[in-house]
Amino acid sequence: MRNPLHNKKGLSYVLVCVYILIVMMLVAVAMQYAYIYHVAREQQNETQLKLDSYVTRYAVGKYDALKQGEPWETYIDSSDLVGGAYTALGFPQNHGGVVEVEGKYVMDRPSITSVANGGFGVCAVYEIRIPFELFDREIAEITVPVTVVSQYKLK
């Protein structure tokens, strides 16, 4: 038995081309996976920034109660906090819906709850759906669960 890679008759060139094609397909799959990971992280960071900005604005609005050391529960309305968080993310407060971003991903309506563990803030839990495409064809839709917590605490 001869080694097909050392065959000088030309048949080994076909085998090498097949190996190169297989390796390039694996590289294409790895690149698409890296893109999906990047889109998911970028979207999570964007949501974190929006919620942090909203909670900071809310804390500035309630500055007198927070600065004087009075109990937060008397000044902070958790339903108002949650409703504002929906608005900050671009969703109506009482209705469903999705947000589609330029064909990159689809963000489902989050479930936002107030957090009152040593401070105040919001916790958003949602899923984003990102299309997995290879060679300009959609192969599957990958669902990524995301949890974002934005909280104001005293140190």
Side-chain angles (χ1 to χ4, degrees), residues 6-18:
H6 297 296
N7 187 353
K8 302 291 184 193
K9 294 182 182 178
L11 185 62
S12 64
Y13 296 118
V14 174
L15 188 59
V16 169
C17 289
V18 169

Side-chain angles (χ1 to χ4, degrees), residues 22 49 65 96:
I22 290 173
L49 184 64

Side-chain angles (χ1 to χ4, degrees), residues 14-34:
V14 174
L15 188 59
V16 169
C17 289
V18 169
Y19 285 155
I20 289 173
L21 283 175
I22 290 173
V23 167
M24 292 309 296
M25 288 174 64
L26 290 175
V27 167
V29 168
M31 295 278 290
Q32 184 64 25
Y33 177 76

Side-chain angles (χ1 to χ4, degrees), residues 80-108:
D80 183 40
L81 185 66
V82 169
Y86 278 115
T87 305
L89 293 178
F91 289 94
Q93 183 176 1
N94 296 326
H95 304 315
V98 296
V99 172
E100 186 170 352
V101 177
E102 302 169 11
K104 285 184 177 181
Y105 62 86
V106 176
M107 177 181 171
D108 291 334

Side-chain angles (χ1 to χ4, degrees), residues 38-99:
H38 170 71
V39 167
R41 294 292 291 174
E42 178 182 293
Q43 197 281 331
Q44 182 180 12
N45 290 340
E46 180 181 331
T47 302
Q48 182 74 50
L49 184 64
K50 286 179 183 178
L51 289 179
D52 285 346
S53 174
Y54 170 69
V55 169
T56 301
R57 282 191 318 251
Y58 194 83
V60 168
K62 304 298 181 184
Y63 176 75
D64 290 335
L66 300 175
K67 188 66 175 173
Q68 300 303 324
E70 295 181 28
W72 294 350
E73 296 80 19
T74 58
Y75 290 94
I76 295 176
D77 182 17
S78 63
S79 64
D80 183 40
L81 185 66
V82 169
Y86 278 115
T87 305
L89 293 178
F91 289 94
Q93 183 176 1
N94 296 326
H95 304 315
V98 296
V99 172

Side-chain angles (χ1 to χ4, degrees), residues 105-124:
Y105 62 86
V106 176
M107 177 181 171
D108 291 334
R109 184 184 189 326
S111 171
I112 299 178
T113 57
S114 64
V115 177
N117 186 9
F120 67 92
V122 291
C123 176

